[in-house]
Amino acid sequence: MKRTFRQASGLTGDETRASLLRFNWSAGLRGVFDTIGAGTNFIFVGFARSLGVAKEQMGWVSFIVSCACLLQMAVIPLIGRIRRKKRFALSLALTEPFLVMVAVGLALLLPPGLRLVAFVTAVFMAAASAHMSRPITDDWFASSIPTEIRGRYLGRRLRIVSIVTIISTYMCGTIGERIGMDNTVGLGLLLIGGACCGVAAVVVLRDAPMPALAAHSQPRLTDFIVALNTRPFARYLVLIAVFNIPFFFAVPYYQVFHLEIVKMPASLIAVMQSGYYIVKILALPFLGRLVDRWGPRKTMYVAGAIYALFFSTYMFCEPG
């Protein structure tokens, strides 16, 4: 087993196991951060609403933050020139939660007329830091997983993230209901607590070795063109885009709908989302076998129909 690890990543068996364990810890801590501070989470939405963002305008906040993903493309041509990729990636990743803390602090301390602009600007910069670190950290993570255990490891990692998300979502709902979803200071402190978990998620990776494959990678902009000219990948990209574009319009308003339109208490939102992840954990083994039997294309067709049926029920929801 150790020999296989060395051939695949350049790491010894012990280094690989230690590295994957740290990636699991990082995923769990990151799950807490994302549950609390993600731009579509009900805590983030509640905090933004308490700053004066109209419910109809939440889409613009999410749009501005989402635009940060474009900065990934600016980093890719520079990766080959970065000598210490691990330090560069971890520094950027660490900047994200720190900037979230700054965003909350500015929103709480600045005069009312400046709070919203400062908050959105800082959150955009936080998202930009995270996205610019991803080309390196994703390559680092992928090259650390031995091929022969990839499926089992990723499945276990997904379960860890789901369990952490269930617990943190329920706790957020309980705390949010107690402090009030219009409590700017209370929600801000909750966001800062989530950002502390984001810092810890980066710190645990400090001693994880980076395989030579990732440390010496030199991607070029022409590689992106080659990938787009690869027909199977291009078709997959189109499929994912078509499947997800409707969600891009709706996602910023899910929690606005829950909080403002149907007047759901935070604890009920937490129970609903936790139930989603519980079902997901229980269904994953069965769905994995289903994909093996039906193939990904037929499974996507069925999933698309179920999604459409589920979201059509939103039209009939009302308070109570």
Side-chain angles (χ1 to χ4, degrees):
M1 182 66 74
K2 289 185 178 182
R3 183 170 56 189
T4 304
F5 285 171
R6 287 194 188 97
Q7 290 173 347
S9 65
L11 304 179
T12 66
D14 290 339
E15 286 176 329
T16 299
R17 281 182 281 273
S19 182
L20 296 183
L21 179 61
R22 288 181 177 277
F23 274 112
N24 278 343
W25 273 103
S26 179
L29 291 164
R30 177 75 197 195
V32 178
F33 178 37
D34 287 340
T35 300
I36 298 174
T40 56
N41 184 272
F42 61 91
I43 297 297
F44 180 92
V45 170
F47 184 75
R49 291 280 294 120
S50 73
L51 293 177
V53 180
K55 60 180 180 290
E56 297 85 2
Q57 301 300 318
M58 275 304 301
W60 287 109
V61 176
S62 297
F63 169 75
I64 293 170
V65 174
S66 298
C67 285
C69 70
L70 299 175
L71 294 176
Q72 281 190 51
M73 300 302 298
V75 171
I76 291 176
L78 303 176
I79 290 177
R81 301 180 183 180
I82 300 170
R83 296 180 59 185
R84 306 183 73 171
K85 292 185 176 64
K86 179 179 174 181
R87 172 177 290 187
F88 176 82
L90 291 182
S91 298
L92 279 175
L94 200 59
T95 301
E96 180 196 12
F98 276 124
L99 283 175
V100 170
M101 297 181 192
V102 170
V104 174
L106 291 174
L108 294 177
L109 299 176
L110 287 176
L114 299 176
R115 288 178 181 177
L116 182 58
V117 174
F119 175 71
V120 173
T121 301
V123 169
F124 170 82
M125 293 171 62
S129 301
H131 284 298
M132 287 190 294
S133 72
R134 291 297 295 271
I136 296 176
T137 55
D138 286 355
D139 190 21
W140 177 11
F141 175 56
S143 60
S144 298
I145 309 173
T147 304
E148 64 270 23
I149 65 167
R150 184 166 295 159
R152 284 174 290 161
Y153 175 75
L154 291 176
R156 188 178 299 116
R157 176 184 169 89
L158 182 58
R159 289 188 181 94
I160 290 172
V161 173
S162 297
I163 291 170
V164 169
T165 302
I166 290 170
I167 296 172
S168 54
T169 298
Y170 181 77
M171 291 181 65
C172 283
T174 302
I175 296 172
E177 189 165 326
R178 288 191 178 184
I179 65 176
M181 293 305 293
D182 56 351
N183 186 335
T184 304
V185 174
L187 295 175
L189 292 176
L190 195 55
L191 287 172
I192 290 175
C196 290
C197 290
V199 171
V202 179
V203 172
V204 297
L205 293 177
R206 183 181 57 184
D207 295 327
M210 176 178 282
L213 182 65
H216 302 301
S217 64
Q218 294 186 348
R220 297 164 299 179
L221 215 51
T222 53
D223 296 334
F224 181 70
I225 298 173
V226 171
L228 290 180
N229 288 331
T230 304
R231 287 193 174 185
F233 176 77
R235 287 197 296 268
Y236 171 78
L237 201 61
V238 171
L239 168 68
I240 295 301
V242 171
F243 204 82
N244 284 286
I245 281 174
F247 291 97
F248 297 157
F249 291 100
V251 164
Y253 297 100
Y254 287 155
Q255 301 303 344
V256 174
F257 183 86
H258 297 150
L259 291 168
E260 302 289 336
I261 306 302
V262 295
K263 307 297 182 183
M264 291 176 67
S267 59
L268 184 57
I269 297 174
V271 168
M272 179 180 67
Q273 292 186 192
S274 298
Y276 165 81
Y277 283 104
I278 290 172
V279 171
K280 183 177 180 179
I281 292 172
L282 296 176
L284 276 174
F286 166 73
L287 293 175
R289 292 193 294 270
L290 197 65
V291 172
D292 291 338
R293 185 182 305 170
W294 286 1
R297 185 172 301 176
K298 186 176 180 180
T299 307
M300 289 286 282
Y301 290 153
V302 175
I306 294 174
Y307 264 118
L309 180 63
F310 167 71
F311 286 108
S312 67
T313 63
Y314 271 68
M315 296 184 293
F316 306 102
C317 292
E318 58 184 27

